[in-house]
Amino acid sequence: MNAGGIIRSGAAKAGRVLLCAALLGTAAACSTKGGGGTAAVGVTDGEIHLGVLSDLTGPFKAPAEQQNLGIQLYWDQKNTAGGTCGRRIVLETRDHGYDPQKAISLAGELNDKVLAYQISVGSPTSLAIRSELEDDRIMAIAMSWSPELGRSPALVVPGTYFDAEAVDAFDYLVERGDIERGDTVGHVYFQGDFGEPALAGLRYAGRRNGVTVEAVQVDPSITDLTSQVTALKDAGVKAVFVNAAPPQLASLAGLSEAAGMDVPIVASMGAYAPQLLDTNVASILEKRALVVGSVTAYSGDGAAATKVRALYEKSGSRVPPSQMVVLGFAISAVLDQAMTKACDGGKDLDRRALWDVFHGKFTIDTQGATVPLDYSKPGAGPSDKIIVLRPAKGVPGGLDVVETDYAGPTVARFADESPQK
């Protein structure tokens, strides 16, 4: 794609309208349906095209493959049953390799082909295409729980923001008796909108509960946390929260155990991978770690997880089963329900109609795959709850459910006082 595919000028858009007016025979591509005459891009009489902007060659290759499998499982079974709004779903998959510039280039192509984005993986890549999505009123489900993404009217965050998640995780340990007033807790985090919002949430919860937060920022390239663990031990932390990646979690677990730090480790979902249970820290994680987030375990007993397992076994896929497969299935249900509502009562399905659904009174039933999602509160996150999980080696997907839909006593006040409001 050249620069002309990246910078979408008003003249270029006007040219497309004139071209459609000239090519009257191509009604499926150029027809106007509802939304004040906006062209129904990505929608024909028999198909709906959705974008999958993924990371299949970059640092999140493994979870992206698992998410994509969940998406494929959902739409395969839906297409077999007749599709959505009477149309078959077609997925347009592209790989940005977690490169924002490549994401911009690929979006320049896909924005002329798809109704919406079923998934846009990553915060920096989603933010890179944000303005163009907003200009063209293209909805995209962003695969991140960053509050920064939640500020965009075009980006759908499928769960609780990282800051509110951290507040809930903090309260959960307080209720368990792991943290008391006067204690110190640690936080190992990446700079950026994964780790920094979580740190803000932890510091808020710490102030409300008389607890000090000892924050340790690490670069993703650092996988030996010896000095960081030493600092946390010297601070006498009673628990450690992690907003980093699986290599940092593994190092933290092994080194803290060797240092005699028998304290809980609470990892945000992105910090954990079931492959860690095949390493020498497996028993430590099973004993001391919790995983918190907005998505249930692959082994969960809810309707969605049960359905995912059945579809996975039938598919014969070699992609490892994990909660990320459930996540892909869940976000497909989100977009499916939005499209169905957009075309209810014989209304035309187009970008404007889908945009209006996500900015109206709209709640989602993911059948237990995620925390409850409510997109009807402008300026607020879709949820303030978390699902608490525990690493478990003998369980498919490597996680057991400890508690669902947990919200502590601090998170409501945090939502009222949050700068996102």
Coordinates of all heavy atoms in Angstrom, one line a residue, residues 140-151 155-166 168 268-269 292-296 323 327 330-332 334-335 358 362-364 366 368-377 379-387 405-406 411 414-415 420:
A140 N -14.6 -1.0 15.9 CA -13.6 -2.1 16.0 C -13.5 -2.5 17.4 O -13.5 -1.7 18.4 CB -12.2 -1.5 15.6
I141 N -13.4 -3.9 17.6 CA -13.2 -4.4 19.0 C -11.7 -4.5 19.2 O -11.0 -5.2 18.5 CB -13.9 -5.8 19.1 CG1 -15.4 -5.7 18.9 CG2 -13.5 -6.4 20.5 CD1 -16.1 -7.0 19.1
A142 N -11.2 -3.7 20.1 CA -9.8 -3.6 20.4 C -9.4 -4.6 21.4 O -10.0 -4.8 22.5 CB -9.5 -2.2 21.0
M143 N -8.3 -5.4 21.1 CA -7.9 -6.4 22.0 C -6.9 -5.8 23.0 O -5.7 -6.1 23.0 CB -7.3 -7.6 21.2 CG -7.3 -8.9 22.0 SD -8.7 -9.1 23.0 CE -10.1 -8.8 21.9
S144 N -7.4 -5.0 23.9 CA -6.7 -4.5 25.0 C -7.7 -3.9 25.9 O -8.9 -3.6 25.5 CB -5.8 -3.3 24.5 OG -5.2 -2.6 25.6
W145 N -7.4 -3.8 27.2 CA -8.3 -3.2 28.2 C -7.8 -1.9 28.7 O -8.0 -1.5 29.8 CB -8.5 -4.2 29.3 CG -9.2 -5.4 28.8 CD1 -10.6 -5.7 28.9 CD2 -8.7 -6.6 28.2 NE1 -10.9 -6.9 28.3 CE2 -9.7 -7.5 27.9 CE3 -7.4 -7.0 27.8 CZ2 -9.5 -8.7 27.2 CZ3 -7.1 -8.2 27.2 CH2 -8.2 -9.0 26.9
S146 N -7.2 -1.2 27.8 CA -6.6 0.2 28.1 C -7.7 1.2 28.2 O -8.5 1.3 27.3 CB -5.6 0.6 27.0 OG -5.4 2.0 27.1
P147 N -7.7 2.0 29.3 CA -8.7 3.1 29.3 C -8.6 4.1 28.2 O -9.5 4.8 27.8 CB -8.5 3.7 30.7 CG -7.2 3.2 31.2 CD -6.9 1.9 30.5
E148 N -7.3 4.2 27.7 CA -7.1 5.2 26.6 C -7.9 4.8 25.4 O -8.5 5.6 24.7 CB -5.6 5.2 26.3 CG -5.3 6.2 25.1 CD -5.6 7.6 25.4 OE1 -5.6 8.0 26.5 OE2 -5.8 8.4 24.4
L149 N -7.9 3.4 25.1 CA -8.7 3.0 24.0 C -10.2 3.2 24.2 O -11.0 3.5 23.3 CB -8.5 1.5 23.7 CG -7.0 1.1 23.3 CD1 -7.0 -0.4 23.0 CD2 -6.5 1.9 22.2
G150 N -10.6 3.1 25.5 CA -12.0 3.2 25.8 C -12.5 4.7 25.6 O -13.7 4.9 25.5
R151 N -11.6 5.6 25.5 CA -12.0 7.0 25.2 C -12.4 7.2 23.8 O -13.1 8.2 23.5 CB -10.8 8.0 25.5 CG -10.5 8.0 27.0 CD -9.5 9.1 27.3 NE -9.1 9.1 28.7 CZ -7.9 8.7 29.1 NH1 -7.0 8.1 28.3 NH2 -7.6 8.7 30.4
L155 N -13.7 2.5 19.2 CA -13.0 1.3 19.8 C -13.8 0.7 20.9 O -14.2 1.4 21.9 CB -11.6 1.6 20.2 CG -10.6 2.1 19.1 CD1 -9.3 2.6 19.7 CD2 -10.4 0.9 18.2
V156 N -14.1 -0.6 20.8 CA -14.9 -1.3 21.8 C -13.9 -2.1 22.7 O -13.2 -3.0 22.2 CB -15.9 -2.2 21.1 CG1 -16.7 -3.0 22.2 CG2 -16.8 -1.5 20.2
V157 N -13.9 -1.8 24.0 CA -13.1 -2.6 24.9 C -13.9 -3.7 25.5 O -14.9 -3.4 26.2 CB -12.5 -1.7 26.0 CG1 -11.7 -2.4 27.0 CG2 -11.6 -0.6 25.3
P158 N -13.6 -5.0 25.4 CA -14.5 -6.0 25.8 C -14.3 -6.5 27.3 O -14.1 -7.6 27.6 CB -14.1 -7.2 24.9 CG -12.6 -7.0 24.6 CD -12.4 -5.5 24.6
G159 N -14.3 -5.5 28.2 CA -14.2 -5.8 29.6 C -13.8 -4.7 30.4 O -13.9 -3.5 30.1
T160 N -13.3 -5.0 31.6 CA -12.9 -4.0 32.6 C -11.6 -3.4 32.3 O -10.6 -4.1 32.0 CB -12.9 -4.7 34.0 OG1 -14.2 -5.2 34.2 CG2 -12.6 -3.7 35.1
Y161 N -11.5 -2.1 32.4 CA -10.2 -1.4 32.1 C -9.1 -1.8 33.1 O -9.4 -2.2 34.2 CB -10.4 0.1 32.2 CG -11.3 0.7 31.2 CD1 -11.9 2.0 31.4 CD2 -11.6 0.1 30.0 CE1 -12.7 2.6 30.5 CE2 -12.4 0.7 29.1 CZ -13.0 1.9 29.3 OH -13.8 2.5 28.4
F162 N -7.9 -1.7 32.7 CA -6.8 -2.2 33.5 C -6.7 -1.5 34.9 O -6.3 -2.2 35.9 CB -5.4 -2.0 32.8 CG -5.2 -2.9 31.7 CD1 -4.8 -2.3 30.4 CD2 -5.3 -4.2 31.8 CE1 -4.5 -3.2 29.3 CE2 -5.1 -5.1 30.7 CZ -4.7 -4.5 29.5
D163 N -7.1 -0.3 35.0 CA -7.0 0.4 36.3 C -8.1 -0.1 37.2 O -7.8 -0.4 38.4 CB -7.1 1.9 36.1 CG -8.2 2.4 35.2 OD1 -9.0 1.6 34.8 OD2 -8.3 3.6 34.9
A164 N -9.3 -0.2 36.8 CA -10.4 -0.8 37.6 C -10.1 -2.2 38.0 O -10.4 -2.7 39.1 CB -11.7 -0.6 36.9
E165 N -9.5 -3.0 37.0 CA -9.2 -4.4 37.3 C -8.2 -4.5 38.4 O -8.3 -5.3 39.3 CB -8.5 -5.0 36.0 CG -7.9 -6.3 36.1 CD -7.1 -6.8 34.9 OE1 -7.7 -7.0 33.9 OE2 -5.9 -6.8 35.0
A166 N -7.2 -3.6 38.5 CA -6.2 -3.6 39.5 C -6.9 -3.2 40.9 O -6.5 -3.8 41.9 CB -5.1 -2.6 39.2
D168 N -10.0 -3.9 41.8 CA -10.7 -5.1 42.2 C -9.7 -6.2 42.7 O -10.0 -6.8 43.7 CB -11.5 -5.7 41.0 CG -12.8 -5.0 40.9 OD1 -13.4 -4.4 41.9 OD2 -13.4 -5.0 39.7
S268 N -2.1 -9.8 35.8 CA -3.1 -9.5 34.8 C -3.1 -10.5 33.7 O -2.1 -11.2 33.4 CB -2.9 -8.1 34.2 OG -4.0 -7.7 33.4
M269 N -4.2 -10.7 33.0 CA -4.3 -11.8 32.0 C -3.2 -11.8 31.0 O -2.7 -12.9 30.6 CB -5.7 -11.6 31.3 CG -6.2 -12.9 30.6 SD -7.9 -12.6 30.0 CE -7.7 -11.7 28.5
V292 N -6.0 -12.5 37.0 CA -7.3 -11.7 37.0 C -7.5 -11.1 35.6 O -6.6 -10.7 34.9 CB -7.3 -10.6 38.1 CG1 -7.2 -11.2 39.4 CG2 -6.1 -9.6 37.8
G293 N -8.8 -10.9 35.2 CA -9.1 -10.3 34.0 C -10.6 -10.3 33.7 O -11.4 -10.6 34.6
S294 N -10.9 -10.2 32.5 CA -12.4 -10.1 32.1 C -12.9 -11.3 31.4 O -14.0 -11.3 31.0 CB -12.6 -8.9 31.1 OG -12.2 -7.7 31.8
V295 N -12.1 -12.4 31.3 CA -12.4 -13.5 30.5 C -12.3 -14.8 31.3 O -11.4 -14.9 32.1 CB -11.5 -13.7 29.2 CG1 -11.9 -14.8 28.4 CG2 -11.5 -12.4 28.5
T296 N -13.3 -15.7 31.2 CA -13.3 -16.9 32.0 C -12.2 -17.9 31.4 O -11.6 -17.7 30.4 CB -14.6 -17.6 32.0 OG1 -14.7 -18.6 33.0 CG2 -15.0 -18.2 30.7
Q323 N -7.8 -19.6 27.5 CA -8.8 -18.6 27.7 C -8.9 -17.6 26.5 O -9.9 -17.0 26.3 CB -8.6 -17.9 29.0 CG -7.7 -16.8 29.0 CD -7.5 -16.1 30.3 OE1 -6.4 -15.8 30.7 NE2 -8.5 -15.7 31.0
L327 N -11.9 -16.0 24.6 CA -12.0 -14.5 24.3 C -12.4 -14.3 22.9 O -13.3 -13.4 22.6 CB -10.7 -13.9 24.6 CG -10.6 -12.4 24.3 CD1 -11.6 -11.6 25.1 CD2 -9.2 -11.9 24.7
A330 N -16.0 -14.9 22.5 CA -16.8 -13.9 23.2 C -16.9 -12.6 22.4 O -18.0 -12.0 22.2 CB -16.2 -13.6 24.5
I331 N -15.8 -12.1 21.8 CA -15.9 -10.9 21.1 C -16.6 -11.0 19.8 O -17.2 -10.1 19.3 CB -14.5 -10.3 20.8 CG1 -13.6 -11.2 19.9 CG2 -13.8 -9.9 22.1 CD1 -12.3 -10.5 19.5
S332 N -16.7 -12.2 19.3 CA -17.5 -12.5 18.1 C -19.0 -12.4 18.5 O -19.8 -11.8 17.7 CB -17.2 -13.9 17.5 OG -15.8 -14.0 17.1
V334 N -20.1 -10.5 20.8 CA -20.4 -9.1 21.0 C -20.8 -8.4 19.6 O -21.8 -7.7 19.5 CB -19.2 -8.4 21.6 CG1 -19.4 -6.8 21.5 CG2 -18.9 -8.8 23.0
L335 N -20.0 -8.6 18.6 CA -20.2 -8.0 17.3 C -21.5 -8.6 16.7 O -22.3 -7.9 16.0 CB -19.0 -8.1 16.4 CG -19.0 -7.3 15.2 CD1 -19.3 -5.8 15.5 CD2 -17.7 -7.4 14.4
F358 N -23.8 0.7 19.3 CA -22.8 0.8 20.3 C -22.8 2.1 21.1 O -22.2 2.2 22.2 CB -21.4 0.6 19.7 CG -21.0 -0.8 19.5 CD1 -20.9 -1.4 18.2 CD2 -20.7 -1.6 20.6 CE1 -20.6 -2.7 18.0 CE2 -20.3 -3.0 20.4 CZ -20.3 -3.5 19.1
F362 N -27.2 -0.6 25.1 CA -26.7 -1.8 24.5 C -26.0 -2.6 25.6 O -24.9 -2.2 26.0 CB -25.9 -1.6 23.3 CG -25.4 -2.8 22.6 CD1 -26.3 -3.9 22.3 CD2 -24.1 -3.0 22.2 CE1 -25.9 -5.0 21.6 CE2 -23.7 -4.1 21.5 CZ -24.6 -5.1 21.2
T363 N -26.5 -3.8 26.0 CA -25.8 -4.7 26.9 C -25.6 -6.0 26.1 O -26.4 -6.3 25.2 CB -26.6 -4.9 28.2 OG1 -27.9 -5.4 27.8 CG2 -26.8 -3.6 29.0
I364 N -24.7 -6.8 26.6 CA -24.2 -8.0 25.9 C -24.4 -9.2 26.8 O -24.1 -9.1 28.0 CB -22.8 -7.9 25.5 CG1 -22.5 -6.7 24.5 CG2 -22.3 -9.1 24.8 CD1 -23.1 -6.9 23.2
T366 N -22.6 -12.6 26.9 CA -21.6 -13.5 26.4 C -21.7 -14.9 27.0 O -20.8 -15.7 26.9 CB -20.2 -12.9 26.6 OG1 -20.0 -12.8 28.0 CG2 -20.1 -11.6 26.0
G368 N -21.4 -16.0 30.0 CA -20.4 -16.3 31.0 C -19.0 -16.3 30.5 O -18.0 -16.6 31.2
A369 N -18.8 -16.0 29.2 CA -17.4 -16.0 28.6 C -16.6 -14.8 29.2 O -15.4 -14.9 29.4 CB -17.4 -15.9 27.1
T370 N -17.3 -13.7 29.5 CA -16.7 -12.5 30.0 C -17.5 -12.0 31.2 O -18.5 -12.5 31.6 CB -16.6 -11.4 29.0 OG1 -17.9 -10.9 28.8 CG2 -16.0 -11.9 27.7
V371 N -16.9 -11.0 31.9 CA -17.7 -10.3 32.8 C -18.9 -9.6 32.1 O -18.9 -9.5 30.9 CB -16.8 -9.2 33.5 CG1 -15.7 -9.8 34.4 CG2 -16.2 -8.2 32.5
P372 N -19.9 -9.2 32.8 CA -21.1 -8.6 32.2 C -20.6 -7.3 31.5 O -19.8 -6.5 32.0 CB -22.0 -8.2 33.3 CG -21.6 -9.2 34.4 CD -20.2 -9.4 34.3
L373 N -21.1 -7.1 30.2 CA -20.7 -5.9 29.4 C -21.9 -5.0 29.2 O -22.9 -5.5 28.7 CB -20.1 -6.4 28.1 CG -18.9 -7.3 28.2 CD1 -18.5 -7.8 26.8 CD2 -17.7 -6.6 28.9
D374 N -21.7 -3.8 29.5 CA -22.8 -2.8 29.3 C -22.2 -1.5 28.6 O -21.4 -0.8 29.2 CB -23.4 -2.4 30.6 CG -24.6 -1.5 30.5 OD1 -24.9 -1.0 29.4 OD2 -25.3 -1.3 31.6
Y375 N -22.6 -1.3 27.4 CA -22.1 -0.2 26.6 C -23.1 1.0 26.6 O -23.0 1.9 25.7 CB -21.8 -0.6 25.2 CG -20.7 -1.6 25.2 CD1 -20.9 -3.0 25.0 CD2 -19.3 -1.2 25.3 CE1 -19.9 -3.9 25.0 CE2 -18.3 -2.2 25.3 CZ -18.6 -3.5 25.1 OH -17.6 -4.4 25.1
S376 N -24.0 1.0 27.5 CA -25.0 2.1 27.5 C -24.7 3.3 28.4 O -25.6 4.1 28.6 CB -26.4 1.5 27.9 OG -26.3 1.0 29.3
K377 N -23.5 3.3 29.0 CA -23.1 4.4 29.9 C -22.0 5.2 29.3 O -20.8 4.8 29.4 CB -22.7 3.8 31.2 CG -23.8 3.0 31.9 CD -23.2 2.3 33.1 CE -24.2 1.3 33.7 NZ -23.7 0.5 34.8
G379 N -19.0 7.4 28.6 CA -17.9 7.9 29.5 C -17.4 6.8 30.5 O -16.5 7.1 31.2
A380 N -18.2 5.8 30.6 CA -17.9 4.7 31.6 C -17.4 3.5 30.9 O -17.7 3.2 29.8 CB -19.1 4.4 32.5
G381 N -16.6 2.7 31.7 CA -16.2 1.4 31.1 C -17.3 0.4 31.1 O -18.3 0.6 31.8
P382 N -17.3 -0.6 30.2 CA -18.4 -1.5 30.1 C -18.6 -2.4 31.3 O -19.6 -3.1 31.4 CB -18.0 -2.3 28.8 CG -16.6 -2.2 28.7 CD -16.2 -0.9 29.3
S383 N -17.6 -2.5 32.2 CA -17.7 -3.3 33.4 C -16.8 -2.8 34.4 O -15.8 -2.1 34.2 CB -17.4 -4.8 33.0 OG -17.6 -5.7 34.1
D384 N -17.1 -3.2 35.7 CA -16.2 -2.9 36.8 C -15.9 -4.2 37.6 O -15.4 -4.1 38.7 CB -16.8 -1.8 37.7 CG -18.1 -2.3 38.4 OD1 -18.5 -3.4 38.1 OD2 -18.6 -1.5 39.2
K385 N -16.1 -5.3 36.9 CA -15.9 -6.6 37.6 C -14.7 -7.4 37.0 O -14.2 -7.0 35.9 CB -17.1 -7.5 37.5 CG -18.4 -6.9 38.1 CD -19.6 -7.8 37.9 CE -20.8 -7.3 38.7 NZ -21.2 -5.9 38.4
I386 N -14.2 -8.4 37.8 CA -13.1 -9.2 37.3 C -13.5 -10.7 37.5 O -14.4 -11.0 38.3 CB -11.8 -8.9 38.0 CG1 -11.9 -9.2 39.5 CG2 -11.3 -7.5 37.6 CD1 -10.5 -9.1 40.2
I387 N -12.8 -11.5 36.8 CA -12.9 -13.0 37.0 C -11.5 -13.4 37.6 O -10.5 -13.0 37.0 CB -13.2 -13.7 35.7 CG1 -14.6 -13.3 35.2 CG2 -13.1 -15.2 35.9 CD1 -14.9 -13.9 33.8
D405 N -17.2 -12.6 38.3 CA -17.9 -11.3 38.4 C -17.7 -10.7 39.8 O -18.6 -10.2 40.5 CB -19.4 -11.5 38.2 CG -19.7 -12.0 36.8 OD1 -18.7 -11.9 35.9 OD2 -20.8 -12.5 36.5
Y406 N -16.4 -10.6 40.2 CA -16.1 -10.0 41.5 C -15.9 -8.5 41.3 O -15.2 -8.0 40.5 CB -14.8 -10.6 42.1 CG -14.3 -9.9 43.3 CD1 -14.8 -10.2 44.6 CD2 -13.4 -8.9 43.2 CE1 -14.4 -9.5 45.7 CE2 -12.9 -8.2 44.4 CZ -13.5 -8.5 45.6 OH -13.1 -7.8 46.7
V411 N -14.1 -0.1 44.0 CA -14.1 0.2 42.5 C -15.2 1.2 42.1 O -15.0 2.0 41.2 CB -14.2 -1.1 41.7 CG1 -15.6 -1.7 41.8 CG2 -13.7 -0.9 40.3
F414 N -13.8 4.5 42.8 CA -12.7 4.8 41.8 C -13.4 5.2 40.5 O -12.9 6.2 39.8 CB -11.9 3.5 41.6 CG -10.8 3.7 40.5 CD1 -9.7 4.5 40.7 CD2 -11.0 3.1 39.3 CE1 -8.8 4.6 39.7 CE2 -10.1 3.2 38.3 CZ -8.9 4.0 38.5
A415 N -14.4 4.5 40.0 CA -15.1 4.9 38.8 C -15.6 6.3 38.8 O -15.5 7.1 37.8 CB -16.2 3.9 38.5
Q420 N -11.0 9.3 33.7 CA -11.7 8.9 32.4 C -13.1 9.5 32.4 O -13.7 9.6 31.3 CB -11.8 7.4 32.3 CG -10.5 6.8 31.6 CD -9.4 6.6 32.7 OE1 -8.5 7.4 32.6 NE2 -9.5 5.7 33.6

